[in-house]
Amino acid sequence: MAQPSLPPGPRSLLPLREIRAIRRDVLGFLDSLKRNYGDFSCFRMGPKLVYFVSHPDLIHDVLVTHHRSFGKTWMLQTVSEALGNGMINSRGEANRRKRELVMPALVKPRIPEYAETMVRVAERTARTWQDGATVDMAQEMVRLTMAIGTETLFGADIGEQADEVGSAITEIFDVYARARSPFGEIFERVRFLPARRRFDRAKELLDTTIYDLIDRRRRSGEERDDVLGVLLAARDEEGRAMTDRQLRDEAIAMFLAGHETTTNLLAWLWCLLSQHPEAEAELHDELDSVLGGRLPEMADVERLPFLRKVIYEALRLYPLSYVIPREVLDACQLGPFTLRPGSLILAGIYSMHRDPRYWDEPDRFVPYRWTPEMKKQLHRHVYRPFGAGPHTCPGEHFAWVESTLAMAVLIQRWKARVVPGHTVTGNPIVFLRPRAPVPMTLTRRQSAR
Ligand code: HEM
């Protein structure tokens, strides 16, 4: 029998039905695709053909083996324009050169220099918290990671502005929620719509903040090896420095890619520990016995194996990039199908992380599962919270150290519980974040010295 030209999937006569289902519950929609049609399916989103793959080998093919046949896509022209031509928005040779340029500021040997700032900023947060107070943990983590990110990568504290800049970043990504509506196209074209105006204001604020960081560094005459330092020192083949616009585009890539992800990882960690007091108690034991009340330092990152397991498990259950989208550039062969150029393909990281074929009790938070034996037995490509291939996250090591040290400081001193009656749910837009606000009540730990 001849092979059908398209993978199976819903063939709706109503072209808007899938868009509505995605808008209502995108994770539920992707889950139903996998349940009903298997690891390789496709559907239409308005005029666009969208493939969905959730098998580790197929995901590996898209991100690694055949990566040249796929381009990064932000789907919305508006967002793409706001991001400019930085690393986050480029591919092929241009992307490789940008990565080479920035990587020296993010490689393992550089991270210990950032560790002290990570701990100092987390300690400052721990000191501002009040026993018995209820805080929006999502917002607290925005402030924390914004301060760490700007101080370590750009060498400046944006202080009071952190909330505003954090909201601007959220606003830039939130346009996706609106764009999923049947009127998404209108958002792209009509500049005076309130949502579009909010987006433009957010972009303007980010631009002003970044140009100000660049200006401050130039005026200070300081030479540093952080991200801004390597960008300022970079020269092209003709010995020319980057223009302000090029600097802005690269800096914005770091801001957007690094901030939303780590912020939300930390927020998920608090929610999970609130729901799992037994894991929290084990973490307290580990922190008390390794640190004995002192502040952590870089060397402690390797000495906190249970905290590492907790973070592994949080990233499995809530991979921030729950799907990694790509545009199909040429008619490449994937499994038994020839993909159509111009269509979209989604690598289903969340689906793969919760697939019962690879994980026992996939929907449960079980940090204990991460034993060395289990890691050895795991399917090679089944755990991909940081992506894979040429676009794999350049900030992975930074993120591990930041989340380990920040949580070690805070959890040593504070417990937090989601307020009774509030249910934390996921809010997957570009990243899978907990729906804000996340109201949590703080209790000072008695045993912390
Ligand atoms: C828990 C934290 C983080 C997670 C889960 C995460 C995840 C990811 C993933 C899945 C990708 C690949 C996207 C794709 O293939 O299209 C990516 C790319 C990227 N990440 Fe991260 N990330 C995190 C933290 C960071 C940090 C802290 C930084 C910067 C310091 C950063 C900078 C970037 C950049 C610049 C890219 C684009 C790379 C490229 O296109 O070549 N990320 N991240």
Side-chain angles (χ1 to χ4, degrees):
M1 209 166 59
Q3 176 70 43
S5 67
L6 286 177
R11 299 284 183 261
S12 171
L13 292 175
L14 301 167
L16 297 181
R17 208 170 70 178
E18 273 67 49
I19 295 184
R20 259 194 244 122
I22 291 173
R23 200 170 146 69
R24 222 178 301 127
D25 173 12
V26 60
L27 295 178
F29 174 74
L30 296 177
D31 186 47
S32 76
L33 279 184
K34 187 174 171 105
R35 248 182 303 113
N36 295 324
Y37 306 105
D39 285 323
F40 197 166
S41 56
C42 79
F43 60 97
R44 282 197 176 277
M45 221 167 80
K48 199 89 175 157
L49 179 67
V50 185
Y51 299 97
F52 176 59
V53 288
S54 57
H55 190 281
D57 293 339
L58 291 171
I59 291 181
H60 188 76
D61 280 348
V62 173
L63 299 181
V64 186
T65 321
H66 302 305
H67 71 87
R68 285 196 180 77
S69 298
F70 302 98
K72 286 222 259 181
T73 172
W74 289 91
M75 289 184 274
L76 293 181
Q77 190 55 32
T78 341
V79 174
S80 206
E81 280 164 21
L83 297 177
N85 293 318
M87 186 204 298
I88 196 176
N89 208 21
S90 62
R91 61 182 157 85
E93 189 47 29
N95 176 270
R96 201 188 54 75
R97 279 204 307 271
K98 286 166 196 288
R99 286 181 74 101
E100 252 176 33
L101 183 71
V102 177
M103 273 322 277
L106 293 174
V107 286
K108 264 190 183 185
R110 289 300 323 280
I111 308 293
E113 290 171 38
Y114 305 140
E116 184 269 327
T117 308
M118 293 167 177
V119 171
R120 180 169 42 77
V121 174
E123 214 260 331
R124 197 165 68 199
T125 304
R127 267 190 281 117
T128 62
W129 284 356
Q130 306 279 323
D131 204 11
T134 296
V135 295
D136 173 5
M137 196 54 97
Q139 193 57 36
E140 290 297 308
M141 294 303 104
V142 166
R143 282 185 204 134
L144 173 73
T145 54
M146 179 68 68
I148 293 178
T150 49
E151 285 196 37
T152 51
L153 303 177
F154 301 99
D157 180 3
I158 57 169
E160 304 283 287
Q161 260 184 307
D163 279 8
E164 246 188 308
V165 175
S167 309
I169 293 177
T170 308
E171 183 66 43
I172 299 252
F173 288 129
D174 271 358
V175 300
Y176 280 93
R178 288 187 281 278
R180 279 189 211 139
S181 87
F183 307 109
E185 283 278 303
I186 299 177
F187 167 83
E188 293 264 66
R189 295 184 206 290
V190 186
R191 295 195 82 92
F192 57 78
L193 282 180
R196 179 60 204 252
R197 285 217 306 269
R198 278 203 303 279
F199 176 90
D200 288 341
R201 272 201 301 272
K203 177 179 166 289
E204 212 176 288
L205 178 73
L206 274 186
D207 281 354
T208 314
T209 310
I210 286 169
Y211 283 129
D212 183 48
L213 289 174
I214 297 171
D215 193 44
R216 273 202 248 173
R217 176 67 64 87
R218 280 218 174 100
R219 273 190 283 120
S220 78
E222 227 184 319
E223 280 182 22
R224 294 169 71 144
D225 296 336
D226 58 10
V227 166
L228 192 52
V230 297
L231 293 175
L232 280 164
R235 295 290 177 270
D236 66 12
E237 300 85 54
E238 275 119 55
R240 280 179 310 215
M242 282 189 184
T243 62
D244 275 7
R245 173 69 205 196
Q246 285 170 319
L247 282 169
R248 173 260 179 218
D249 288 357
E250 297 306 337
I252 218 160
M254 288 295 148
F255 243 98
L256 297 187
H259 175 71
E260 273 279 303
T261 43
T262 320
T263 299
N264 289 307
L265 167 61
L266 298 189
W268 280 122
L269 284 168
W270 283 109
C271 298
L272 287 165
L273 292 174
S274 166
Q275 290 155 356
H276 299 275
E278 70 302 335
E280 186 191 47
E282 183 154 349
L283 205 46
H284 286 151
D285 286 349
E286 177 173 276
L287 291 168
D288 290 348
S289 82
V290 175
L291 303 177
R294 68 169 168 84
L295 288 173
E297 52 196 49
M298 186 65 202
D300 294 317
V301 173
E302 301 299 321
R303 297 191 194 119
L304 298 167
F306 189 65
L307 178 51
R308 195 168 182 82
K309 288 179 184 177
V310 168
I311 299 174
Y312 258 103
E313 185 68 347
L315 285 169
R316 182 187 70 80
L317 280 174
Y318 300 107
L320 288 316
S321 296
Y322 61 102
V323 289
I324 299 183
R326 292 284 186 265
E327 188 188 349
V328 180
L329 300 177
D330 54 46
C332 92
Q333 186 75 20
L334 190 67
F337 302 104
T338 307
L339 302 184
R340 295 188 187 171
S343 52
L344 201 67
I345 187 157
L346 305 177
I349 307 294
Y350 176 92
S351 306
M352 177 169 84
H353 282 190
R354 294 201 181 215
D355 190 324
R357 286 175 295 179
Y358 313 112
W359 311 92
D360 292 333
E361 301 187 276
D363 295 327
R364 271 193 60 210
F365 174 71
V366 189
Y368 315 92
R369 72 170 85 231
W370 289 97
T371 59
E373 302 74 55
M374 172 272 199
K375 283 197 208 168
K376 251 186 247 149
Q377 281 162 14
L378 210 56
H379 184 295
R380 271 192 313 154
H381 312 306
V382 82
Y383 183 68
R384 285 284 176 256
F386 291 95
H391 294 297
T392 191
C393 178
E396 174 171 352
H397 194 62
F398 183 99
W400 267 106
V401 174
E402 178 181 9
S403 45
T404 306
L405 292 178
M407 288 310 270
V409 172
L410 294 169
I411 299 169
Q412 249 198 121
R413 290 159 173 73
W414 293 99
K415 278 182 169 188
R417 289 288 174 272
V418 176
V419 298
H422 181 88
T423 309
V424 179
T425 51
N427 185 20
I429 300 180
V430 173
F431 298 111
L432 173 53
R433 55 186 188 219
R435 193 174 296 279
V438 180
M440 296 187 91
T441 305
L442 301 168
T443 315
R444 194 185 295 279
R445 272 193 71 219
Q446 296 305 323
S447 61
R449 265 172 263 169

